[in-house]
Amino acid sequence: GQNIDQPTEMTATEGAIVQINCTYQTSGFNGLFWYQQHAGEAPTFLSYNVLDGLEEKGRFSSFLSRSKGYSYLLLKELQMKDSASYLCASLDSNYQLIWGAGTKLIIKP
Amino acid sequence: GAVVSQHPSWVICKSGTSVKIECRSLDFQATTMFWYRQFPKQSLMLMATSNEGSKATYEQGVEKDKFLINHASLTLSTLTVTSAHPEDSSFYICSATAQDPYEQYFGPGTRLTVT
């Protein structure tokens, strides 16, 4: 079956660093996406990884290990506005996104 | 670029009535559009995939006669919730892809409340 696992909720402090992990098992693999979703809003694209390694984009970085079926999203210099849900999604062999349940990130001052 | 709009952004309707939600790609031609539903504190659930000019492909468990999808042009897809019931109350989100299947652009979502 197809499965995406990520923690339900995480808490971090403003200015700190947090890593959100995601493991996936899907039928075929065409890449791993991370989206940010604020409450009541649609998801917004953060990153896309299809090759192993780390992709850095400002305060956000995303890592992929295809052999381990594992990815993480790293958020640095956390700001209060980073409080949101972070969704991990795998693009399967049919180019369909398989979504994780999302990780709710709570930032405390 | 790559902007997707949805209309309305929120709607309240009475049980038994039908509601139509529009999804438009504003600055690109969308070869494929996706309709998702999201209940509170849950992830996105794909309802159906539609390609312009052809019938939508529904996911298992989604009633095609209840959730009518029309993708009449490369910039417009509509979802009609027929005979809505309170359990249909949810956040409905559309997304669209152009030539590149790796990029899905999301609309802002429509919050439906059925009373």
Side-chain angles (χ1 to χ4, degrees):
Chain A
Q2 309 211 86
N3 194 47
I4 306 282
D5 282 322
Q6 53 182 132
T8 305
E9 187 175 297
M10 298 181 71
T11 302
T13 304
E14 190 177 15
I17 299 173
V18 71
Q19 177 175 312
I20 304 174
N21 296 323
C22 169
T23 57
Y24 63 90
Q25 290 178 305
T26 55
S27 303
F29 180 75
N30 279 302
L32 195 290
F33 291 81
W34 283 95
Y35 285 84
Q36 181 190 61
Q37 187 178 25
H38 285 100
E41 298 180 12
T44 54
F45 171 82
L46 288 179
S47 67
Y48 169 66
N49 294 64
V50 68
L51 299 176
D52 288 350
L54 186 68
E55 295 270 349
E56 296 186 70
K57 192 185 294 184
R59 294 189 299 115
F60 294 4
S61 303
S62 56
F63 172 83
L64 176 68
S65 168
R66 289 174 297 173
S67 63
K68 295 181 179 178
Y70 167 71
S71 173
Y72 68 72
L73 179 70
L74 190 71
L75 294 79
K76 302 176 184 176
E77 301 170 19
L78 286 170
Q79 302 175 9
M80 297 303 292
K81 67 178 182 179
D82 297 329
S83 293
S85 285
Y86 291 85
L87 307 174
C88 171
S90 173
L91 196 64
D92 71 7
S93 56
N94 294 318
Y95 297 102
Q96 181 171 310
L97 280 173
I98 309 301
W99 294 87
T103 298
K104 182 179 180 180
L105 178 63
I106 300 168
I107 310 295
K108 294 185 175 180
Chain B
V3 179
V4 176
S5 71
Q6 275 184 248
H7 178 80
S9 54
W10 60 270
V11 57
I12 301 172
C13 70
K14 291 187 176 181
S15 187
T17 61
S18 295
V19 174
K20 179 186 284 188
I21 302 170
E22 292 187 350
C23 176
R24 293 181 185 272
S25 56
L26 299 184
D27 51 2
F28 68 101
Q29 292 187 325
T31 52
T32 304
M33 285 186 168
F34 303 86
W35 285 97
Y36 293 89
R37 181 167 53 181
Q38 186 177 34
F39 293 106
K41 299 185 179 181
Q42 295 187 23
S43 190
L44 297 168
M45 187 194 80
L46 180 65
M47 298 176 68
T49 303
S50 74
N51 294 294
E52 184 263 341
S54 61
K55 289 184 179 181
T57 302
Y58 289 82
E59 295 300 302
Q60 194 171 8
V62 178
E63 301 174 57
K64 61 181 180 181
D65 294 330
K66 179 172 180 62
F67 299 98
L68 302 179
I69 292 172
N70 184 285
H71 193 162
S73 76
L74 284 172
T75 60
L76 174 64
S77 176
T78 60
L79 167 68
T80 302
V81 183
T82 62
S83 186
H85 291 287
E87 57 264 31
D88 298 323
S89 298
S90 187
F91 192 44
Y92 291 86
I93 307 171
C94 74
S95 69
T97 60
Q99 297 298 326
D100 187 347
Y102 299 95
E103 297 229 38
Q104 252 183 63
Y105 305 101
F106 285 87
T110 297
R111 185 160 301 283
L112 170 64
T113 302
V114 184
T115 60

